[in-house]
């Protein structure tokens, strides 16, 4: 009962005023006490009159008393602000509302229908939804994209401010997660603790599927706190929020060409060498697109234009551009596909670091004068082939430099992208520390074994670098011996699942097979058990399962440990045809391609690795990152990791980091939109219903928003007719609070009372 | 006489019952009322002469010798005056209701009983002055006093004395009393009834019919206080009844309509009944001057066959 009262009346305390209904009764009783006495002669007439009138009088008096009592009781009711909730009736009046408007500003809302982007239409609707609120109503506006930003930082009672903010709202370059946006609205409702009885959520979005579904077509999920917020709000008996999902219909025949990819196949791009740039265009529309222009820009200059004659729906067409970067450094590329109704996804960006050369340091533990006797001879040969036609995949960008292990301690490591140690017996302790620091900051180290190596020294001195413990030596160490005693071990071609080796494993020819690679002597490698995020991967293994090449990440860098030698002392690898690709693939895999770090999806931060020697200068001068609109983005310099980390990007396009120094250098980053938002497939209302709180009247169902709880809220889907939606929401919002009716009843009763009192009085006179 | 109209005016103020209350002595009041009323009227047409012997009285100097009883003088040698009861052409009986309800007086007004007394006194005075004989009956539920009709001035004093002695206390039983009186008054004459008639109208009319049956002329003055006629009360009032009626607490405004209906219904019934029986019925508001009553009486007399 108490709960019902609290539910029905906003101010149940004022109900006590209903006791004022007893006032007329008390007055009546008091009046009976106050009379005068007179002696009277004509009592027989008086009694006769009394007898005749008493029945009528009693009725009249009762009517008047009833009316007076009713007036006071109704007045008290009106003051207590009764509000009708769902299913209570159809009386009208209007409670104060707390309304959260969610505006989907994912980039698919930029789709133009009739020359007007959907987002503009959504903003118009939002403005009207704010305008229709009464003074005292509260409103919050959320922008639904990956971040779900709150547009109004403080709950605004000042509707004009909210309207101004809505009008200033912009499309984002991200996708959206609409269940999360609804959860965000719920969180807001909980945080605001608004006293208003009506809680309303209006979601204005388009009809696309991707706001609700993952690419795998399973519904987008909420995490536990979000789930809890939705549960709390929609499971609340009293709040019973209403959710409107307004879905703006796009084009029934959308035309949408999407630049889905812009990339350079080469891992390392060097200046002066012709590079192949690939753009991929996808037709996400329903109609074929004829004569679609595709334009490539490098550093703002248009350098190529191709045309796709006809692109069928759902077809993906690669467009290849060739370009030679004249100078090394950071370059910004973009590709533009001919205009359609959704302009946002027609552009794609790529930031490329063009190297002058990629330097590789080869440290030879046993240099010999004879040709092909040194440890590194084969390796160097494989990395820098003497004949260009031997190069399988175009240009070989690596410049190897061979030194003896004696020179190594004096080398400045930051000049190199990759360091290879072959049969190096010992490195001084302090150099080992430098080497480890260098790896952790992103350097790549490749270690080969050999007869000079003492496993115990390696394990103790360099153990923290290695992905495995170096064990005892296995095998005779001689090809002839091994063949004679038949103790040679073969590399397995089955266990290979390392990206560096994968393409090599595809060599099906007999002589190119990994199984031809034999090992005569090796150190047993015992992989370190995975600790934390650093897991050890097997690159090559023998037929008996023992690994001969292991790989792990150390800090930002990588270390590859081989169990055998780089030359043909312990294996037959350098004599095989697959040796050169093997070495090159591993080397290129180890060299971290610069442009991969430079290219991110909107919403991710950028990380720039600062060279050790310039860290101090950069910290002093500070770094400035500018977004595509040239507005500054905050960057934090992290000294422990020698890196600069930006805030998550919010817009698609090219970002530029200005590095201070004698000759200022600009480093480009690119943020691309998530492709999924380009999909304009629609999801129908019926399917959506399974997501959302059940409608009023229907049996509570378990929506996907709330896996295990029946919801009590009400959801309504509406199409885009602006006025209809606004009117419908307004119509719904009214008809809840009914104190006006009580006041009206009081007025009517007051009039009736005076009329009847006068009439009864006249009648008696 | 130049002063006559002024004197008339002066006298006529005594017709107002409120003025009369300030004057002591019922005889004086009666005289003032009658003089006030009569002056300026035509001379009374009623010259009664009666020759019925009443008694002997010793002569005293100054008596008219024509009334000397010569036979007695001759027989006894003593001077006796023959006294005649002046036989008038009219015998009137004034019936005054002295029941408790007659005590009622609205604020600033005389009670109905007082008013009745004024009328009775002045009528007696008037009648005696005209040598008509007049009798008085005081009654409530019994006959309290019966004064036989006579026209002597001494009789008038008796009547006035009796009127001054009234102590009202009993209920009325007017109808019953009328039957009694109708039997008691042998000679036909004029019966003047002064009462508020708070009784059953059927019974009342039946009693009045008895008078008519005895060939009496009957004139009924229904004396009611102004408040009893208009019932002008506003506030919650506790009405305490005379004559043993139960008290009643009510809002008078709400009862007014029904009360007035009752009152009018009663009066109508009485009027109709009286008319049918050739009885004069006069409503008197005790607020009004007494000449209304006297006029009514005279009108009755003019139409009377006793003229």
């Amino acid at each position: 009962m108490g709960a019902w009262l609290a539910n029905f009346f906003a101010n149940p305390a004022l109900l006590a005023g209903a006791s004022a209904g007893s006032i007329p009764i008390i007055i009546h009783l008091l009046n009976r006490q106050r009379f005068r006495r007179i002696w009277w002669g004509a009592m027989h007439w008086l009694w006769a009159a009394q007898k005749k009138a008493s029945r009528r009088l009693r009725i009249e008096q009762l009517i008047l008393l009833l009316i007076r009592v009713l007036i006071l009781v109704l007045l008290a009711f009106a003051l207590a602000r009764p509000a009708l909730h769902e299913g209570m009736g159809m009386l009208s009046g209007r409670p104060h509302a707390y309304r959260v408007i969610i505006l989907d500003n994912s980039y698919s809302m930029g789709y133009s229908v009739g020359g007007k982007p959907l987002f503009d239409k959504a903003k118009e609707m939002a403005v009207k939804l704010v305008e229709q609120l009464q003074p005292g109503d509260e409103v919050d506006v959320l922008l639904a994209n990956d971040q779900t930003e709150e547009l109004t930082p403080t709950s605004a009672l000042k509707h004009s401010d909210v309207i101004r903010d809505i009008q200033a709202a912009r499309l984002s370059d991200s996708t959206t997660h609409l269940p999360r946006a609804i959860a965000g609205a719920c969180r807001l409702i909980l945080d605001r603790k608004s006293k208003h009885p009506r809680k309303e959520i209006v979601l204005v979005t388009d009809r696309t599927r991707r706001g609700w579904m993952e690419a795998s077509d399973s519904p987008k999920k909420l995490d536990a706190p979000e789930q809890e917020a939705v549960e709390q709000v929609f499971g609340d008996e009293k709040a019973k929020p209403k959710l409107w999902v307004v879905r703006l219909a796009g084009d029934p025949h959308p035309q949408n060409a999407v630049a889905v990819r812009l990339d350079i196949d080469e891992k390392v791009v060097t200046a002066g060498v012709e590079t192949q740039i690939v753009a991929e265009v996808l037709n996400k529309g329903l109609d074929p697109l004829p004569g679609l222009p595709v334009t490539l820009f490098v550093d703002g200059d248009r350098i190529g234009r191709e045309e796709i004659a006809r692109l069928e729906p759902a077809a993906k067409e690669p467009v290849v551009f060739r370009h030679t970067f004249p100078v090394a450094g950071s370059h910004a590329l973009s590709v533009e596909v001919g205009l359609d109704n959704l302009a946002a996804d027609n552009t794609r960006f790529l930031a490329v670091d063009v190297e002058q050369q990629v330097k590789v340091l080869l440290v030879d533990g046993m240099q010999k004068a004879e040709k092909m006797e040194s440890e590194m001879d084969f390796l160097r040969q494989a990395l820098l082939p003497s004949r260009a036609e031997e190069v399988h995949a175009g240009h070989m960008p690596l410049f190897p430099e061979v030194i003896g292990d004696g020179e190594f301690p004096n080398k400045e490591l930051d000049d190199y992208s990759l360091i290879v140690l072959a049969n190096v017996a010992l490195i001084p302790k302090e150099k080992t520390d430098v080497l480890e620091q260098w790896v952790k900051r992103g350097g790549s180290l490749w270690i080969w074994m050999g007869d000079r190596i003492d496993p115990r020294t390696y394990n103790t001195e360099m153990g923290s670098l290695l992905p495995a413990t170096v064990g005892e030596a296995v095998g005779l160490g001689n090809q002839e011996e091994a063949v004679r005693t038949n103790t040679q071990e073969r590399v397995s071609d089955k266990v290979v699942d390392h990206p560096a080796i994968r393409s090599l494993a595809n060599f099906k020819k007999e002589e190119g097979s990994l199984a031809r690679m034999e090992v005569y002597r090796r150190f047993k490698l015992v992989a370190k058990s995975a600790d934390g995020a650093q897991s050890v991967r097997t690159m090559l293994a023998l037929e008996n399962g023992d690994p001969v090449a292991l790989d792990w990440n150390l800090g930002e860098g990588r270390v590859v440990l081989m169990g055998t030698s780089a030359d043909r002392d312990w294996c037959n690898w350098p004599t095989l045809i697959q040796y050169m690709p093997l070495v090159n693939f591993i080397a290129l895999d180890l060299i971290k391609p610069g442009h991969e770090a430079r290219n991110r999806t909107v919403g991710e931060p950028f990380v720039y690795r600062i060279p050790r020697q310039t860290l101090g200068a950069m910290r002093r001068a500070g770094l400035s990152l500018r977004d595509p609109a040239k507005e500054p983005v905050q960057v934090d310099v992290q000294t422990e990791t020698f890196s600069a980390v930006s805030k998550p990007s919010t817009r698609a396009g090219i970002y530029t980091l200005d590095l201070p120094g004698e000759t200022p250098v600009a480093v480009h980053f690119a943020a691309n939109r998530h492709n999924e938002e380009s999909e304009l497939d629609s999801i129908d209302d019926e399917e959506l219903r399974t997501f959302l709180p059940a409608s009023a009247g229907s049996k509570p169902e378990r929506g996907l928003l709330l896996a295990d709880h029946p919801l009590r809220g009400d959801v309504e889907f509406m199409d885009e007719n602006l006025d209809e939606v606004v009117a419908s929401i307004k119509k719904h919002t009214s008809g809840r609070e009914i104190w006006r009716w009580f006041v009206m009843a009081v007025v009517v009763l007051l009039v009736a009372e005076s009329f009847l009192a006068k009439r009864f009085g006249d009648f008696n006179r | 006489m130049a002063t006559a109209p002024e004197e008339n005016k002066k006298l006529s103020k005594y017709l107002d019952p409120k003025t009369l209350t300030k004057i002591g002595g019922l005889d004086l009041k009666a005289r003032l009322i009658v003089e006030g009323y009569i002056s300026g009227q035509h001379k009374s047409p009623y010259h009664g002469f009666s020759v019925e012997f009443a008694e002997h009285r010793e002569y005293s100097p100054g008596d008219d010798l024509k009334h000397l009883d010569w036979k007695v003088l001759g027989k006894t040698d003593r001077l006796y005056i023959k006294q005649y009861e002046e036989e008038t052409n009219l015998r009137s009986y004034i019936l005054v209701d002295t029941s408790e309800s007659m005590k009622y007086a609205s604020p600033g007004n005389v009670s109905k009983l007082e008013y009745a007394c004024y009328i009775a006194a002045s009528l007696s005075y008037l009648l005696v002055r005209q040598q008509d004989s007049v009798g008085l009956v005081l009654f409530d539920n019994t006959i309290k006093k019966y004064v036989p009709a006579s026209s002597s001035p001494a009789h008038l004093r008796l009547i006035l004395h009796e009127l001054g002695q009234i102590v009202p206390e009993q209920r009325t039983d007017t109808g019953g009393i009328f039957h009694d009186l109708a039997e008691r008054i042998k000679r036909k004459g004029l019966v003047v009834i002064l009462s508020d008639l708070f009784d059953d109208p059927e019974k009342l009319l039946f009693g009045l019919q008895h008078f008519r049956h005895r060939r009496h002329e009957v004139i009924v003055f229904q004396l009611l206080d102004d408040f009893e006629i208009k019932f002008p009360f506003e506030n919650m009032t506790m009405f305490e009844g005379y004559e043993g009626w139960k008290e009643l607490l009510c809002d008078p405004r709400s009862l007014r309509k029904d009360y007035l209906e009752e009152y009018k219904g009663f009066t109508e019934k009485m009027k109709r009944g009286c008319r049918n029986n050739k009885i004069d019925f006069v409503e008197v508001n005790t607020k009004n001057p007494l000449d209304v009553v006297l006029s009514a009486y005279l009108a009755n007399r003019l139409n009377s066959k006793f003229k």
Side-chain angles (χ1 to χ4, degrees):
Chain A
M1 186 65 188
W4 183 87
L5 276 182
N7 201 12
F8 187 63
F9 295 106
N11 299 325
L14 284 175
L15 262 190
S19 59
S22 60
I23 288 175
I25 299 174
I26 292 168
I27 288 176
H28 174 78
L29 290 175
L30 281 177
N31 258 348
R32 282 192 79 92
Q33 297 301 313
R34 288 178 48 239
F35 56 81
R36 48 178 201 153
R37 283 169 180 277
I38 53 171
W39 285 93
W40 185 247
M43 286 303 280
H44 57 300
W45 291 339
L46 195 55
W47 271 107
Q50 164 76 9
K51 216 168 273 172
K52 217 156 87 184
S54 63
R55 208 183 137 79
R56 174 176 55 84
L57 278 177
R58 207 171 301 154
I59 291 170
E60 284 177 4
Q61 296 293 331
L62 208 66
I63 289 172
L64 283 179
L65 184 68
L66 218 66
I67 289 175
R68 288 164 190 166
V69 168
L70 214 60
I71 285 172
L72 289 165
V73 169
L74 287 181
L75 204 61
F77 269 51
L79 286 175
R81 281 180 62 195
L84 289 181
H85 299 285
E86 305 300 335
M88 264 178 160
M90 65 288 141
L91 294 169
S92 101
R94 170 84 164 71
H96 275 311
Y98 174 51
R99 183 177 287 176
V100 183
I101 300 172
I102 307 173
L103 271 181
D104 180 359
N105 75 336
S106 61
Y107 71 81
S108 65
M109 288 290 284
Y111 194 91
S112 292
V113 179
K116 189 175 186 183
L118 291 179
F119 189 58
D120 285 5
K121 213 167 172 182
K123 285 205 293 192
E124 257 174 55
M125 190 172 287
V127 167
K128 286 212 175 168
L129 288 175
V130 175
E131 281 172 346
Q132 85 177 184
L133 291 172
Q134 291 182 346
D137 287 346
E138 288 177 306
V139 62
D140 269 310
V141 180
L142 289 181
L143 290 181
N145 49 53
D146 279 346
Q147 273 88 46
T148 305
E149 355 168 3
E150 197 178 316
L151 194 63
T152 44
T154 54
S155 180
L157 283 162
K158 226 176 156 188
H159 300 161
S160 57
D161 289 358
V162 181
I163 290 173
R164 200 193 52 221
D165 287 345
I166 291 172
Q167 278 158 346
R170 286 186 317 182
L171 271 176
S172 73
D173 281 319
S174 20
T175 55
T176 185
H177 188 312
L178 294 175
R180 181 162 292 156
I182 293 173
C186 292
R187 171 54 53 203
L188 210 52
I189 285 174
L190 294 175
D191 289 348
R192 285 274 188 259
K193 295 189 174 65
S194 171
K195 286 274 176 221
H196 295 338
R198 281 206 59 72
K199 309 278 192 286
E200 304 169 353
I201 303 173
V202 187
L203 168 62
V204 186
T205 178
D206 53 17
R207 305 194 136 261
T208 53
R209 192 176 189 79
R210 285 290 155 256
W212 306 97
M213 298 297 208
E214 301 284 3
S216 58
D217 221 30
S218 62
K220 288 190 171 174
K221 289 274 164 38
L222 297 178
D223 61 23
E226 289 166 340
Q227 187 93 354
E228 200 186 321
V230 177
E231 247 168 58
Q232 250 183 297
V233 170
F234 281 94
D236 182 2
E237 182 85 34
K238 200 178 165 188
K240 268 185 223 153
K242 170 99 185 175
L243 169 65
W244 285 277
V245 180
V246 181
R247 308 181 67 208
L248 307 172
D251 202 335
H253 273 270
Q255 283 202 336
N256 191 23
V258 186
V260 287
R261 192 167 87 93
L262 177 64
D263 212 350
I264 291 174
D265 285 340
E266 284 90 351
K267 287 246 172 189
V268 179
V269 183
T270 41
V273 180
E274 190 181 69
T275 310
Q276 187 170 293
I277 301 162
V278 184
E280 260 179 3
V281 182
L282 176 65
N283 183 358
K284 283 276 190 189
L286 293 176
D287 299 325
L289 296 167
L292 194 66
V294 183
T295 318
L296 179 74
F297 296 87
V298 173
D299 296 326
D301 300 327
R302 198 178 92 165
I303 57 118
R305 186 177 186 278
E306 301 284 331
E307 192 171 291
I308 301 171
R310 184 182 165 87
L311 189 60
E312 294 298 326
K316 199 193 269 181
E317 186 90 24
V319 180
V320 179
F321 297 93
R322 290 182 180 282
H323 179 63
T324 307
F325 293 96
V327 286
S330 183
H331 293 273
L333 279 68
S334 65
V335 68
E336 242 178 62
V337 182
L339 283 178
D340 55 29
N341 288 329
L342 182 56
D345 59 8
N346 290 355
T347 319
R348 202 152 178 93
F349 306 93
L350 181 70
V352 184
D353 277 352
V354 178
E355 306 287 345
Q356 200 61 48
Q357 52 184 189
V358 178
K359 287 166 83 176
V360 180
L361 184 66
L362 305 178
V363 184
D364 196 331
M366 190 184 277
Q367 278 184 313
K368 288 179 180 166
E370 298 92 344
K371 204 174 183 187
M372 292 302 160
E373 284 299 321
S374 297
E375 288 291 330
M376 280 301 184
D377 286 349
F378 290 100
L379 203 66
R380 199 184 69 88
Q381 196 65 36
L383 289 176
L384 189 67
S386 53
R387 285 179 297 165
E389 60 266 32
E390 288 176 18
V391 178
H392 175 68
H395 179 73
M396 283 287 150
L398 305 177
F399 287 87
E401 177 189 348
V402 182
I403 57 168
D405 55 354
E407 297 168 58
F408 180 61
N410 303 323
K411 275 283 174 194
E412 177 50 67
L413 304 184
D414 276 350
D415 293 346
Y416 301 94
S417 299
L418 172 65
I419 293 171
V420 187
L421 304 179
N423 205 8
V424 174
L426 188 66
I427 300 169
K429 177 76 179 121
E430 53 272 24
K431 195 64 183 173
T432 314
D433 292 342
V434 171
L435 187 64
E436 191 175 332
Q437 278 299 319
W438 174 82
V439 169
K440 280 182 174 168
R441 278 173 29 234
S444 299
L445 181 64
W446 192 3
I447 302 169
W448 292 83
M449 295 290 115
D451 48 11
R452 293 187 64 203
I453 285 168
D454 172 28
R456 248 172 302 155
T457 317
Y458 254 56
N459 288 337
T460 52
E461 299 296 321
M462 291 166 62
S464 56
L465 273 169
L466 304 178
T469 311
V470 183
E472 67 212 12
V474 181
L476 300 168
N478 186 305
Q479 185 177 10
E480 288 162 34
E481 281 291 302
V483 170
R484 192 172 51 79
T485 56
N486 202 21
T487 54
Q488 72 267 47
E489 295 170 295
R490 286 196 177 79
V491 172
S492 163
D493 58 355
K494 302 223 166 47
V495 292
V496 179
D497 193 32
H498 195 281
I501 308 297
R502 204 174 293 147
S503 49
L504 201 66
N506 292 339
F507 285 17
K508 285 299 169 205
K509 280 188 201 155
E510 184 68 7
E511 65 271 22
S513 164
L514 285 176
R516 297 275 307 249
M517 293 165 64
E518 290 176 354
V519 176
Y520 310 122
R521 186 178 170 83
R522 64 180 169 97
F523 285 114
K524 223 177 167 108
L525 300 180
V526 184
K528 284 178 181 168
S529 58
D531 56 330
Q534 299 178 350
S535 63
V536 177
R537 297 177 293 274
T538 303
M539 206 177 253
L540 289 172
L542 297 174
E543 280 174 330
N544 65 4
D546 281 359
V548 281
L550 288 171
D551 165 30
W552 77 339
N553 294 348
L554 187 62
E556 293 288 305
R558 298 251 309 265
V559 179
V560 173
L561 177 65
M562 310 300 284
T564 185
S565 69
D567 61 7
R568 57 188 175 180
D569 286 354
W570 287 10
C571 60
N572 67 347
W573 300 358
T575 62
L576 297 176
I577 188 170
Q578 48 271 64
Y579 185 67
M580 195 187 73
L582 177 78
V583 168
N584 272 288
F585 285 146
I586 294 175
L588 287 171
D589 187 59
L590 280 173
I591 296 166
K592 210 170 196 178
H595 56 267
E596 206 166 276
R598 300 274 187 267
N599 293 282
R600 291 280 186 246
T601 308
V602 170
E604 291 174 341
F606 298 114
V607 179
Y608 175 69
R609 196 149 62 81
I610 304 170
R612 218 158 70 106
Q613 57 271 41
T614 59
L615 181 71
M618 287 193 186
R619 280 196 63 193
R620 275 192 302 279
L623 293 172
S624 82
L625 179 68
R626 286 171 287 125
D627 74 359
K630 306 287 180 216
E631 298 198 1
V633 180
Q634 190 191 326
V635 184
D636 293 325
V637 176
Q638 296 176 350
T639 39
E640 321 81 67
T641 55
F642 295 90
S643 53
V645 182
S646 78
K647 282 191 42 159
S649 58
T650 53
R651 290 179 216 183
I654 298 292
Y655 289 65
T656 308
L657 180 69
D658 294 312
L659 300 177
E662 282 169 26
T663 49
V665 180
V667 177
H668 297 295
F669 296 87
N672 278 303
R673 297 172 183 91
H674 212 290
N675 276 334
E676 68 175 46
E677 195 61 30
S678 301
E679 287 175 28
L680 300 176
D681 304 356
S682 57
I683 180 166
D684 61 31
D685 291 348
E686 280 318 302
E687 195 175 352
L688 250 189
R689 261 180 217 291
T690 60
F691 261 77
L692 296 167
S695 303
S698 71
K699 233 167 62 182
E701 283 167 28
R702 289 174 178 185
L704 288 173
L705 263 181
L706 268 186
D708 300 318
H709 293 264
L711 293 167
R712 299 178 197 283
D714 190 2
V715 182
E716 200 169 312
F717 292 100
M718 283 186 287
D719 281 331
E720 82 272 33
N721 185 313
L722 185 81
D723 296 328
E724 262 174 38
V725 168
V726 171
S728 161
I729 290 178
K730 191 185 172 94
K731 187 173 150 204
H732 173 87
T733 329
S734 53
R736 299 296 110 188
E737 208 170 7
I738 53 169
W739 60 270
R740 276 155 210 270
W741 288 94
F742 281 85
V743 171
M744 267 166 69
V746 166
V747 172
V748 168
L749 285 176
L750 276 173
V751 171
E753 196 270 346
S754 5
F755 175 76
L756 284 178
K758 190 162 157 44
R759 195 190 142 81
F760 290 162
D762 285 349
F763 194 55
N764 293 328
R765 223 157 254 145
Chain B
M1 292 203 303
T3 59
E6 273 177 36
E7 201 177 319
N8 287 349
K9 206 172 155 193
K10 236 191 272 172
L11 283 170
S12 70
K13 77 179 178 192
Y14 295 111
L15 293 170
D16 184 357
K18 273 185 224 162
T19 317
L20 284 170
T21 52
K22 293 174 195 148
I23 295 160
L26 200 52
D27 53 345
L28 181 59
K29 282 178 190 172
R31 197 162 66 81
L32 286 168
I33 293 165
V34 174
E35 295 301 333
Y37 178 71
I38 297 295
S39 56
Q41 300 259 342
H42 293 291
K43 208 167 187 292
S44 168
Y46 315 116
H47 263 289
F49 59 94
S50 175
V51 285
E52 199 168 317
F53 172 77
E55 59 190 336
H56 282 105
R57 175 169 64 81
E58 267 191 294
Y59 174 78
S60 57
D63 283 343
D64 193 349
L65 285 176
K66 84 174 178 193
H67 295 304
L68 207 65
D69 195 335
W70 298 106
K71 282 181 188 167
V72 173
L73 179 67
K75 282 179 194 167
T76 64
D77 204 17
R78 296 174 79 160
L79 290 169
Y80 276 92
I81 295 290
K82 252 207 290 196
Q83 281 205 317
Y84 299 93
E85 195 170 295
E86 274 182 315
E87 177 69 312
T88 59
N89 52 359
L90 178 68
R91 249 170 215 281
S92 295
Y93 283 90
I94 300 174
L95 278 54
V96 178
D97 182 355
T98 66
S99 64
E100 216 180 358
S101 67
M102 291 293 283
K103 276 201 304 196
Y104 179 73
S106 55
N109 219 342
V110 294
S111 72
K112 291 184 282 183
L113 186 63
E114 273 179 276
Y115 198 92
C117 286
Y118 298 163
I119 294 173
S122 45
L123 276 181
S124 304
Y125 182 85
L126 185 69
L127 288 164
V128 169
R129 211 179 88 141
Q130 292 177 158
Q131 277 84 45
D132 287 338
S133 66
V134 59
L136 177 70
V137 179
L138 303 180
F139 69 94
D140 39 46
N141 57 355
T142 56
I143 295 169
K144 279 286 194 55
K145 206 79 187 178
Y146 182 87
V147 180
S150 168
S151 59
S152 71
H155 187 70
L156 177 64
R157 276 196 297 280
L158 179 64
I159 286 175
L160 295 180
H161 173 75
E162 287 300 340
L163 285 172
Q165 296 295 307
I166 298 168
V167 181
E169 54 197 1
Q170 291 298 316
R171 300 191 61 144
T172 337
D173 180 15
T174 323
I177 294 297
F178 288 173
H179 287 295
D180 261 7
L181 286 170
E183 289 300 321
R184 216 150 148 179
I185 302 168
K186 294 274 180 345
R187 293 183 60 178
K188 65 175 182 181
L190 174 65
V191 176
V192 178
I193 300 168
L194 297 169
S195 171
D196 52 16
L197 301 178
F198 287 174
D199 204 344
D200 180 33
E202 309 291 334
K203 260 165 77 184
L204 279 171
L205 286 169
F206 191 50
L208 293 172
Q209 273 167 5
H210 202 155
F211 281 120
R212 289 297 293 148
H213 185 69
R214 286 294 192 154
R215 301 182 170 265
H216 292 300
E217 276 301 298
V218 181
I219 176 164
V220 179
F221 290 100
Q222 188 192 14
L223 304 180
L224 288 175
D225 193 272
D226 192 45
F227 276 23
E228 285 174 333
I229 294 169
K230 293 177 180 159
F231 204 64
F233 304 101
E234 291 292 333
N235 297 318
M236 208 68 186
T237 309
M238 172 75 88
F239 292 96
E240 296 191 75
Y242 292 118
E243 303 181 19
W245 279 94
K246 216 174 84 187
E247 60 181 17
L248 172 66
L249 177 63
C250 64
D251 179 2
R253 282 168 299 189
S254 60
L255 285 180
R256 181 170 303 136
K257 176 178 161 283
D258 293 298
Y259 175 88
L260 295 181
E261 258 173 26
E262 280 294 315
Y263 153 67
K264 283 186 180 131
F266 172 83
T267 315
E268 279 307 308
K269 209 173 210 170
M270 284 307 293
K271 272 184 184 163
R272 210 178 311 122
C274 288
R275 197 162 52 239
N276 291 343
N277 292 297
K278 299 196 166 63
I279 297 169
D280 279 352
F281 181 87
V282 183
E283 277 180 83
V284 180
N285 185 336
T286 59
K287 206 176 82 179
N288 294 337
L290 289 141
D291 54 353
V292 179
V293 186
L294 297 178
S295 300
Y297 167 74
L298 285 179
N300 174 275
R301 291 300 296 124
L302 278 168
N303 296 327
S304 166
K305 54 183 174 182
F306 294 112
K307 220 179 270 188

